[in-house]
Amino acid sequence: MLTPALLLVLAAEGPRVGVVSAGDEKLANEAAATPNVPVSLTTLAAPAAQPAPDEPSTEPVVLARKAWVSADFAKCQQLLEDDGAIVAALNANARSLVSRTLAWRVACKLGARQPDGARRDAEWLAALQLPFPEDVGVMTPDVEALLAEVRRQVDSQPRSSLSVTSTMPGASVTFDGRPDACITPCTMNVAAGVHALKVSADGYSPQVKAVTVGATGATVELSLLPADPPLAARQWHQRRARGTAFDEGTSLALLSIALRSARLIVVGPSETPNVLRGALSIDGVVQARGEREDVQALVQDLLVRGKVYEPDVPLWKRWPFWVAVGVAAVATAVTTGVLVSRLPIITKVVIRP
Amino acid sequence: MTRLFLIGLLAGCSVQKEVAVSFGSEGEGLDGFMCKDSTGKYLLDRAQNDGGIAPASLVVDFVRLGGVPGCRTGQLIKWCATHECRPLSSSRACVPTTVPAITTGMMREELRAALLSAFRLTGENGVIGDAPDEFVIVRVVGSLESCSQLMPPMGTELPAFDKTKLLGCAYSCPVLLDRVQQGQDVYLGFETLTAQCEQGVRSCSDGELHWQP
């Protein structure tokens, strides 16, 4: 079973290599002391877990309810009039809060004798396909009646087409607070009205948008920008929390951004006992993976196979050496032949009558 | 550095060999020492005097040809008529010898055997010298002149043979002695169709190998 905890991260910047340890200082130090590599190994701290964004506050709804009870419908409306807060709550998956907010907006407007405004809010609630909140039980019957009527009306209308594309295909679409509604590029059949879209992908900053879908449908294109280090760190922690392998490609890419390191080596335990597993990532792309019992051998192996540096090859293993030897041998043979053929000959001539 | 060392090492080396010049195992190359003059007397008779046999000399020369002519006498004479043929002064060798006594009615083959025997004793004196690294003919001239007369002082030209004291002559084909395989003798000989070949001996012993009328 793969231990989920990251044990070691090596980060390389130019000739420098940073070592990050999240759990095993000894292993990190041993890796940082890998000999015979033309890069310096430095231990770094693992990216800290980033706090999750604040949950949307329920306070406006609570206060609006009190204002409605006090028949202060103007204040009630004022507390809930921010459409942006509703879209933000949708993108934060706070669908229950959105349902409560819209229901109280209907109640407040009916109380203020603004039936058209109340109907628009009821239509929005119906378009979002959110269930009625329990708060409806404390509202006047006309509120519940309006909500039910509008819901029936919206449900009876034909759905419209909503096409979503993103600059980075494969992004996950959160639609009206429902995560993973589709993967871009994709098309959904939705009720006409105002909807909240959120497109997100690991390594990128999520993009949100309120979309008004008419009877003829709508097309939305969202641009994804690279995530900043804090966001990448948060996404990396989220992936780790989901059990993603420490040397998985996207996790390494996120780690690279979070640590602001172009080159990374992560090392941790493998599924085989007493064997370490590691991967080298350069510019967010995995260049080499390996398994070794010895962490220093593993680091060397990854650096070599990832072409961070080339190992010193013995002279006799290099082909130019043998070419030179061959040339020298031929030259020597030729020279020797020439010299031998030109050796001075001393011939003694004798008489043998 | 290694290459320089190798060159230096090899430069210090040399190939040493020995080449023998021979009149043939049966003395077949001695015809030039059995020539007669126009009166029908052997040239060897010149060594006979009242007191016995006069001392003689065998002079060995390496004759530079300036090329590689043919081996026949006519070819050599023709070649040397237009080329500079000259014995190398620095490599002349001279060994004293004694020619055999000529007796009346002595058969030619008997004379050949006697000459061979005499020259074998002379040949025991050994080395002629170091062969030049060029094509030459090896010439052996027999003369009644002494070696002191025939060997030039250092730095002077070779003295010409006294044609009246010539006893015989033999020569080899043009040969590059350094390239003669070890164990192969260089044969000396003399081309003549008649026993009266004094003229040939004079031409053979000439300093420039020119035809001697």
Side-chain angles (χ1 to χ4, degrees), chain B residues 17-19 177-185:
Chain B
K17 58 191 289 190
E18 185 175 289
V19 173
L177 290 162
D178 283 344
R179 298 299 174 189
V180 175
Q181 289 188 353
Q182 186 78 24
Q184 293 292 314
D185 291 351

Side-chain angles (χ1 to χ4, degrees), chain B residues 31-113:
Chain B
D31 286 344
F33 284 86
M34 293 187 290
C35 288
K36 295 178 179 177
D37 60 15
S38 57
T39 64
K41 291 176 66 176
Y42 284 112
L43 297 182
L44 289 175
D45 262 348
R46 294 173 176 173
Q48 315 296 318
N49 58 27
D50 296 339
I53 304 298
S57 303
L58 278 182
V59 178
V60 184
D61 278 318
F62 299 120
V63 182
R64 173 180 288 157
L65 301 170
V68 187
C71 191
R72 299 298 178 191
T73 302
Q75 290 175 304
L76 277 173
I77 295 297
K78 187 177 180 180
W79 173 271
C80 290
T82 56
H83 294 80
E84 186 178 359
C85 301
R86 188 177 298 276
L88 298 173
S89 61
S90 60
S91 57
R92 169 169 283 188
C94 181
V95 291
T97 187
T98 302
V99 298
I102 305 297
T103 57
T104 305
M106 193 175 194
M107 299 297 289
R108 186 176 177 84
E109 294 308 312
E110 289 175 325
L111 178 57
R112 187 188 303 278

Side-chain angles (χ1 to χ4, degrees), chain A residues 331-332 335-336 339-341 343-353, chain B residues 10 14-15 17-22 119-120 128-131 178-179 185:
Chain A
T332 302
T335 303
T336 303
L339 291 175
V340 166
S341 68
L343 276 180
I345 300 174
I346 298 175
T347 304
K348 297 296 180 186
V349 183
V350 299
I351 297 177
R352 186 181 296 155
Chain B
L10 292 173
S14 63
V15 177
K17 58 191 289 190
E18 185 175 289
V19 173
V21 294
S22 170
F119 287 169
R120 275 181 177 156
I128 297 171
D130 184 23
D178 283 344
R179 298 299 174 189
D185 291 351

